[in-house]
Amino acid sequence: EQAAALAGLMGCTDRSAPCVQGQRERLLEAMTGHLAALAARQPVVLLFEDAHWIDPTSLELLSRTAARIRSLPVLLVISFRPEFRPPWAGLPHVTVLRLGGLRRREARMLAERTAGTAVLPAGTARQIIDRAEGIPLFIEELTRAAVEADWHDVMSGSAPPGATLPEPAIPTALYASLAARLDRLPDARDVAQIAAVIGREFSFDLLTAVAGGPEAALEGALVRLVEAGLVSPHGTTPRADYAFRHSLIRDVAYSMQLRDRRRQLHAQVAETMRQHFPDQAAPELLARHYMLAGLIGPAVRYLLLAAQRAFTASAYHEATNHLRKGFELIEHLPEGPLRTRFQLDLKATLSLVRDASRGYGHMFQPVFTTWRWRPVWDGNSLDG
């Protein structure tokens, strides 16, 4: 039973088959049971980062896990932003550690380490520490901005003791600091902007297919971005997977582009993934790219497919969210057969998702048992 439940989650079963009663419960039990089996052999450390971005079904799984490990040799470490309210915080075996900003001594140590071999005058370090307010990323970025700037006399240590950099040397905002660093890498900046449209993480092959141009130039740009500490490689370079070192870096590179260019790139990314990288082309991801490209029809079609996939995995909250986004998007379509068809498909699918989430007692059995997923289009053409 556990194998069957996990196979459905991993897409190893027929997605046209309707969900059976209790499948969601069996799936969650199988995943927590797997953790318990691992812990029976040896102690386990489970790290879950950025829980503030969690989806509802994963939140339920994580809550069950937090409750179950009370009697298991498992250390579960979960990081999240202060605005997130974890439902497991009140459990007796849970400890909540609130991390504040770095103290001035720690902040200075981080700034000096980030500066490397460059001399960081006392006045410059004081300006960085005052403006960063203990935020590690801000300390690192402001220090890099100061080191990379063209103030050789100060950075070489030839300035009088206590000398400070000119006011423009240390930007007053993190956005300005990151934008300035990208501007000093014009060729690499263009590559970073294309990568930012793809997402926080991107592969070399996908980036090459979207960006075009010679691979040697792209490799050189990625090397400069890595050396600047803006992106990090995972795997053997240059054909590796990359990630922006922080989501804020990706946001800055993304926002530095004109809106029309971003839309064009989103459409290009979606088409490239759909045609050449199907293993990376999750329906919800394609729907997002088409939506940001302003292509409503394809976005709604892939939202329907994303809802189907979530429904098959018993992720009813996620399926409902995909469908609601589809309802919002079709309001921007003109009246006609395509909009009417979308409305019917969205409403029918939403009804099935709601019924499945409530159990068989709320369902019309003859209709549900004979229903099968039928795509709105053949999957090859995106035309209406």
Side-chain angles (χ1 to χ4, degrees), residues 136-184:
L137 176 67
F138 205 175
I139 296 170
E140 292 177 335
E141 293 305 325
L142 292 180
T143 303
R144 289 192 178 99
V147 171
E148 293 174 3
D150 190 21
W151 291 289
H152 301 295
D153 57 336
V154 177
M155 285 303 167
S156 63
S158 60
T164 60
L165 293 176
E167 188 64 24
I170 303 178
T172 57
L174 182 56
Y175 178 95
S177 172
L178 294 170
R181 295 186 61 218
L182 284 169
D183 282 336
R184 284 194 287 272

Side-chain angles (χ1 to χ4, degrees), residues 53-76:
W53 286 325
I54 198 170
D55 58 90
T57 302
S58 296
L59 179 61
E60 182 177 349
L61 173 63
L62 199 55
S63 299
R64 292 189 180 206
T65 302
R68 183 161 183 174
I69 64 173
R70 181 176 184 178
S71 57
L72 298 176
V74 175
L75 173 63
L76 174 59

Side-chain angles (χ1 to χ4, degrees), residues 93-380:
H93 59 289
V94 171
T95 301
V96 178
L97 300 176
R98 301 187 181 276
L99 304 181
L102 298 180
R103 293 171 293 185
R104 295 188 67 87
R105 177 176 175 273
E106 298 166 337
R108 183 178 182 86
M109 291 174 59
L110 179 58
E112 292 175 347
R113 180 174 299 182
T114 303
T117 58
V119 177
L120 198 62
T124 304
R126 186 165 53 252
Q127 292 181 67
I128 293 173
I129 295 170
D130 290 342
R131 296 182 185 180
E133 297 181 344
I135 301 174
L137 176 67
F138 205 175
I139 296 170
E140 292 177 335
E141 293 305 325
L142 292 180
T143 303
R144 289 192 178 99
V147 171
E148 293 174 3
D150 190 21
W151 291 289
H152 301 295
D153 57 336
V154 177
M155 285 303 167
S156 63
S158 60
T164 60
L165 293 176
E167 188 64 24
I170 303 178
T172 57
L174 182 56
Y175 178 95
S177 172
L178 294 170
R181 295 186 61 218
L182 284 169
D183 282 336
R184 284 194 287 272
L185 302 169
D187 296 337
R189 178 194 60 196
D190 295 338
V191 173
Q193 290 175 342
I194 297 174
V197 172
I198 297 175
R200 170 84 183 272
E201 301 177 354
F202 55 93
S203 67
F204 176 84
D205 292 336
L206 177 57
L207 181 62
T208 302
V210 175
E215 288 191 6
L218 183 62
E219 292 175 5
L222 287 171
V223 168
R224 289 190 290 276
L225 291 172
V226 171
E227 291 175 346
L230 296 171
V231 302
S232 301
H234 301 280
T236 304
T237 58
R239 294 187 175 278
D241 293 331
Y242 294 84
F244 286 96
R245 197 169 58 85
H246 196 280
S247 58
L248 289 176
I249 300 175
R250 181 258 173 186
D251 293 343
V252 170
Y254 184 84
S255 62
M256 291 175 68
Q257 306 173 75
L258 296 176
R259 180 177 300 178
D260 289 343
R261 171 174 164 78
R262 288 202 304 258
R263 287 184 173 181
Q264 180 183 3
L265 285 173
H266 276 296
Q268 191 173 344
V269 169
E271 285 296 295
T272 302
M273 294 179 66
R274 186 177 68 89
Q275 296 179 20
H276 304 293
F277 299 90
D279 56 324
Q280 302 180 35
E284 56 269 24
L285 183 58
L286 291 179
R288 177 180 177 274
H289 282 298
Y290 280 123
M291 181 174 61
L292 293 174
L295 302 175
I296 304 302
V300 176
R301 293 185 180 103
Y302 278 102
L303 283 170
L304 278 165
L305 287 180
Q308 169 192 342
R309 190 171 79 157
F311 177 84
T312 305
S314 303
Y316 304 127
H317 292 289
E318 289 76 6
T320 301
N321 290 337
H322 293 320
L323 295 171
R324 286 176 176 171
K325 177 59 68 175
F327 281 117
E328 294 175 5
L329 290 181
I330 62 173
E331 295 299 321
H332 301 282
L333 288 175
E335 295 288 347
L338 182 62
R339 176 171 173 170
T340 301
R341 178 60 180 273
F342 278 150
Q343 287 176 329
L344 291 174
D345 286 334
L346 289 168
K347 289 180 179 179
T349 306
L350 180 60
S351 176
L352 289 166
V353 171
R354 287 177 172 174
D355 286 343
S357 64
R358 296 168 183 168
Y360 277 109
H362 295 270
M363 302 170 68
F364 181 57
Q365 183 72 10
V367 173
F368 183 75
T369 54
T370 59
W371 175 84
R372 292 292 184 272
W373 284 107
R374 180 173 51 82
V376 179
W377 86 115
D378 59 11
N380 296 316

